[in-house]
Amino acid sequence: MERIEVYPYQRIKEAPGKRWLEKKREQIKSIKKANRGQWVPYQINLAQIWKVLLTAEVLILSLMSFIMARASILGELLPFMFAFTAAFSRKRPITGIAMGALAVAGLIGSSSDTNIYANIITLMVLIGVINHINLPTDKYWWGIPFVCVATIFLIKSIFQMSSGISFYGEMVVIFESLLAGILTFVFVVASDTVKKRKALSLFAFEDIAAFLILGIGLIMGVNGVELAGLSLSSILCRLGILTAAFLWGPGQATMVGAMVGLIPSITSSIFTFSLGLYTISGLLAGLFRNLGKLGIIIGFMLGTMAFSLFIPETHQTVLGIWETAIACLIFFLLPESFKATVKSVPALTAMANRESSLPMAAECLKTEALQRIRGFARVFDEIAGTLESPGKTGSIGQEASYLNYLYDEISSGFCHQCLHYEKCWEKYCYKTSKEILDLFTIAEKAGSIAYEDCSPEFRRSCLYSRDIVNLINYLFASLRLNEYWKNRLDDSCSMISRQIQGISRVIENLADDYDDKTVIDYTLKDKIKKDLKKMNIKLIDVTPIKTAGAQLYVKIIMNSCSDGQYCENQVVPAVSAALGEKVEVLDRNCPCFMGKGNCEFVLSRACTYRVTTGVAQVGKEAICGDNYTIANLQECKELIALSDGMGVGEEACAQSRSAVRMLETLLEAGFDKSVALNTINSTLLLRSSREDFATLDITMIDLYTAEVDFIKTGSVPSFLKRGQQVEVISASSLPVGIVENMDIFTDSRRMVARDLLVMISDGVLDFSTSNPDEDSTRWIQELLKMVESKNPQLIAEMIINRALSMCKGKPHDDMTVICTYLDLNLPD
């Protein structure tokens, strides 16, 4: 009994006319009850009726009825008038009478209607039936169209029978009634939207389609209405195309142009040039959308004038240009808030429609992409398995095939012409085979066989023993050479197979990484939009993307500024305030003409630290054999790599340049450091038959945490200076391109602000000392301890100059010094 119960209720707002009629009925009932048995006249309050008729809603509906009565199809069908009246006058008798009266006036004023009496009577009967019948609420959406179809078909069929029925006339009646029923169904949706006072931002696609068809009917109704010789419907059609190009671009503008271009052909049986004119003009207007309103107007005018060349009547061409000019003027005077108002309707915005289905579509695309990527990985696995050598499993069979080959070459080849062939290889076959096998064994062990190594019995019994010894030496030399190249080929195939398997594993790892949660944050998207709108920053679109590594990228599209600095000066502080953390411009794509079109740029979390680098380089020859790269990688990481090719000059430069470029490309593509180094090593191994190698000194700095990874393959030590202390980071490992399975030295440190990192090539240390027991890096450590400057370029030049002075200006090898200074990323 103590349970709480909630009873919701809602006050239903009734139409003014309906409420007035209900009160009148109550008054009449009370009068009849008081004067039972007496006749009581029904008195109508004319003032109340006029009050209803003069409301804005009734006046607008009546005016629209007048226009709809003029909207004919093929000059004789009036489905728009019947459908509009049936949808908007139901259960509203006074409004229905007003709409009917204005519709009759429109019929009388229209010269296109030939059977005016039948249409007037059909309209009046339809208004009476619609306001008399009672349809359940859940059935009126199909009941009203059915009543409309039935009324038109019955009344007009009666008129057909009275004037002489004909097959063509009856088909016209059926077609008009069915078309009116379909339009009634559409207009009922528009009527419900108006009665519910639905906000524009809540419009669904059905509501927009209903009002669009309603607008087409109104444009057809004003067709033929001219102001100073200019067609009002043509001006409205051109204005609609310009608006579509402004809001949605060339595709939708072309579609709208094709739709409104059919209107003159629908209203009459004559095909006009308007279809082609509006379609071409809409396409050109949409293509010039990036240049703003002025560009859209220029594109539309170009289409109009270009198509006007095919119109034979000069007077019509001039009128069309004037109509275009007036439509362009109205379009140019549209307020800037118009576009924002339209974009607030999700169903009107193509971008919003995509975003509503984007999560599901993105998931499907993601699954499909993962399947394709893993399919590529399987293909590489199959290729690797094809190239892989069979290994040791076939060694016994291979030895047997070698023996068969040797026996065949001697018995069937050399001995076949001998006079003692039958005696040796048929009568004493076992004895001869054993003697030849002994010779094979000696040749295999010693590498070759001499005539004196043969048994006396063999030398005595064989007439061509010396020739057989020479043949065996030749055959074994050939087999060794073939075996050598076969092993080289097997090694190359195995190496390529391993490389392909490595690529397959990398692809699978990339697929697994892609499987992590890289998503679009729609909540953050709405927050950024609202916050920037409060700051009066107008955006076209914003897309925040969160990666698996918790990195955030915000892609923004907005109108281009005039100086290219609006994103830095205005948008970056605003987005930083909205996110509560500092962001910076990662990439930008400005249009060719500043201030025209759209600008796209990407924001990311600002790094905690920043680096400043300085490089000094001196070559022993005209071309320096050292190469380096300094690049910004993903996830706010800085790559600094130095490579020294074998030797000096152009050839060494080519080796180091290929190593550095490949390293940068692989790391930027998301490959792991070890995979990148193994790939470079294998590539250098396969480049030629001789040794091609290059040292690699790699440093990767995480600008969020200041963690540094050092990777050294054959490179000289690096130096890390912190205050007055200098730490030497060295390793003993082979360069890339020498051995297949190389050892990679890796080390990690954590730097702090104002640390200095120095990387050098081996040419800086080649001449520093003649005593092998003395530390060749001592002079660099002492120099760095004494340096007080924070300028990395100045420090690099100081080290190079000191090295040149120690070798008296004649370097023994190429010299390169890279200095990197780490500091906090504070605003300038």
Side-chain angles (χ1 to χ4, degrees), residues 285-490:
L287 291 176
F288 284 81
R289 180 193 180 196
N290 288 336
L291 299 179
K293 286 186 178 180
L294 187 60
I296 294 174
I297 292 173
I298 292 173
F300 192 86
M301 292 291 290
L302 286 175
T304 302
M305 290 186 291
F307 204 84
S308 298
L309 298 175
F310 301 96
I311 300 177
E313 299 179 6
T314 307
H315 178 69
Q316 186 178 358
T317 303
V318 174
L319 290 179
I321 293 175
W322 275 106
E323 291 167 356
T324 302
I326 294 175
C328 291
L329 179 62
I330 298 173
F331 169 72
F332 191 77
L333 295 177
L334 288 176
E336 292 294 332
S337 59
F338 172 73
K339 188 173 183 178
T341 303
V342 174
K343 291 231 179 244
S344 64
V345 184
L348 278 177
T349 315
M351 183 65 71
N353 286 338
R354 284 199 299 268
E355 288 177 357
S356 61
S357 59
L358 187 59
M360 185 179 298
E363 189 64 29
C364 295
L365 291 175
K366 181 178 177 181
T367 304
E368 181 67 21
L370 290 176
Q371 291 178 354
R372 294 291 300 273
I373 292 173
R374 292 193 171 101
F376 289 146
R378 288 193 296 271
V379 169
F380 281 107
D381 273 336
E382 291 295 330
I383 296 174
T386 304
L387 294 174
E388 190 174 1
S389 59
K392 304 283 186 183
T393 55
S395 59
I396 299 176
Q398 188 175 5
E399 292 176 358
S401 64
Y402 284 163
L403 283 176
N404 292 332
Y405 166 73
L406 294 172
Y407 275 118
D408 187 64
E409 286 292 325
I410 293 175
S411 63
S412 301
F414 184 81
C415 296
H416 193 268
Q417 304 297 330
C418 182
L419 296 175
H420 296 168
Y421 177 79
E422 294 182 359
K423 175 185 175 182
C424 295
W425 292 101
E426 291 181 5
K427 186 176 181 180
Y428 301 107
C429 178
Y430 177 77
K431 175 178 173 295
T432 305
S433 299
K434 186 177 182 304
E435 290 176 348
I436 295 296
L437 182 60
D438 292 338
L439 296 178
F440 289 163
T441 304
I442 296 171
E444 185 178 7
K445 289 181 178 180
S448 64
I449 184 172
Y451 181 72
E452 291 75 14
D453 297 331
C454 301
S455 62
E457 186 178 356
F458 173 75
R459 285 182 292 180
R460 184 175 57 254
S461 61
C462 181
L463 298 177
Y464 301 97
S465 57
R466 292 182 181 275
D467 295 332
I468 288 179
V469 168
N470 293 332
L471 177 61
I472 290 174
N473 287 331
Y474 170 75
L475 292 175
F476 267 88
S478 299
L479 285 176
R480 291 191 192 96
L481 184 62
N482 293 336
E483 184 72 16
Y484 171 78
W485 286 113
K486 183 179 181 302
N487 291 334
R488 287 292 301 269
L489 181 61
D490 290 341

Side-chain angles (χ1 to χ4, degrees), residues 245-250 286-293 296 339 343 351 538-541 555-562 564 567 588-601:
F246 178 64
L247 294 175
W248 302 300
L287 291 176
F288 284 81
R289 180 193 180 196
N290 288 336
L291 299 179
K293 286 186 178 180
I296 294 174
K339 188 173 183 178
K343 291 231 179 244
M351 183 65 71
K538 299 178 180 179
L539 304 177
I540 296 177
D541 187 41
K555 182 179 180 181
I556 295 179
I557 303 176
M558 62 186 306
N559 293 327
S560 175
C561 58
S562 58
C567 55
R588 74 178 79 191
N589 184 16
C590 297
C592 298
F593 300 99
M594 302 301 294
K596 300 294 183 182
N598 297 332
C599 177
E600 299 181 9
F601 54 93

Side-chain angles (χ1 to χ4, degrees), residues 127-145:
I127 293 174
V129 173
I130 285 295
N131 285 277
H132 183 266
I133 61 173
N134 292 320
L135 293 173
T137 306
D138 58 338
K139 296 181 180 179
Y140 80 90
W141 63 272
W142 62 266
I144 295 174

Side-chain angles (χ1 to χ4, degrees), residues 24 74 211 381 598 641:
K24 277 297 176 185
L74 302 177
F211 280 99
D381 273 336
N598 297 332

Side-chain angles (χ1 to χ4, degrees), residues 801-817:
N801 291 332
R802 175 68 66 86
L804 287 174
S805 66
M806 294 174 67
C807 68
K808 300 180 181 180
K810 295 181 180 180
H812 299 174
D813 198 356
D814 300 316
M815 300 181 181
T816 303
V817 178

Side-chain angles (χ1 to χ4, degrees), residues 131-161:
N131 285 277
H132 183 266
I133 61 173
N134 292 320
L135 293 173
T137 306
D138 58 338
K139 296 181 180 179
Y140 80 90
W141 63 272
W142 62 266
I144 295 174
F146 177 78
V147 170
C148 182
V149 171
T151 303
I152 296 173
F153 176 75
L154 290 176
I155 301 301
K156 290 207 169 184
S157 295
I158 293 173
F159 274 92
Q160 283 286 330
M161 289 186 291

